[in-house]
Amino acid sequence: MTDKLENFRKIAVAFADGLKAVAGVEEIAVFGSVAGGDRYPSDVDVAIILSSLSGLAQVARHKRKVDNSNYLDVFLFDGRKFMGNVCHRKDCPGQSMECYQPGCGRNKFIRVREGLVPDPARWFKTPLIVLQKHDDKSVFLDWQKDILRSLGLTAPEAYQVRGSITEKCRQCGSGFEINPGEQKYFESMGFKLPKRCQPCRDGSRGLEEV
């Protein structure tokens, strides 16, 4: 397990542990890359079932407390109905263009994200880990079973983890590897994958500084 995966799992556990006594929180589960064992996850996807919105402000406040880098993405459900995501802002509505998205903030601290189409079949057909539940039965695990049955699956599909890419440096001709974490970083920054190895890139920076 990489340090990043381990740290993200710790964030998820700390988040769930802090919500044990919060009103309305019925069940918490991790899904996506962290539950699937991706060694280079880009975020932590957590799903919460709420029986009421009475404790939502506490949920949002606790999210900010354990996740000051905003890696934690919290999906809210009323039973099997998707409600939206927990907003990371301190105030609702905040001073952001996102706050003008239709429906965003209708319920305080529930963010409606533009372009996000709820797709539980995609979210829950891969492994999920239940961190907390109040009843003996798990709504998320029962829901997952129904999804798998509808897809003709007998067990969750393995999470699709990226592999490393090997490139040939256009400067020195040697082969170099771009691991999945680096691929995600370059994509998140809007950069193309590098065509030169790290030593050649470092050497170019040194020449530019001289």
Side-chain angles (χ1 to χ4, degrees), residues 124-194:
F124 300 148
K125 71 177 181 179
T126 54
L128 63 85
I129 302 170
V130 175
L131 299 177
Q132 178 183 317
K133 58 187 176 71
H134 285 182
D135 297 325
D136 292 336
K137 293 187 68 176
S138 164
V139 173
F140 283 127
L141 291 179
D142 285 346
W143 193 0
Q144 184 184 55
K145 288 177 183 176
D146 290 342
I147 288 171
L148 297 178
R149 192 179 300 114
S150 70
L151 296 173
L153 301 172
T154 57
E157 289 185 342
Y159 186 82
Q160 295 300 310
V161 178
R162 298 188 191 203
S164 294
I165 296 173
T166 300
E167 294 280 0
K168 183 178 180 180
C169 178
R170 69 181 183 188
Q171 183 171 335
C172 70
S174 63
F176 68 98
E177 188 177 272
I178 307 172
N179 68 41
E182 292 169 328
Q183 295 170 41
K184 291 180 180 180
Y185 169 76
F186 287 117
E187 288 176 5
S188 69
M189 299 297 289
F191 299 149
K192 293 181 179 179
L193 295 180

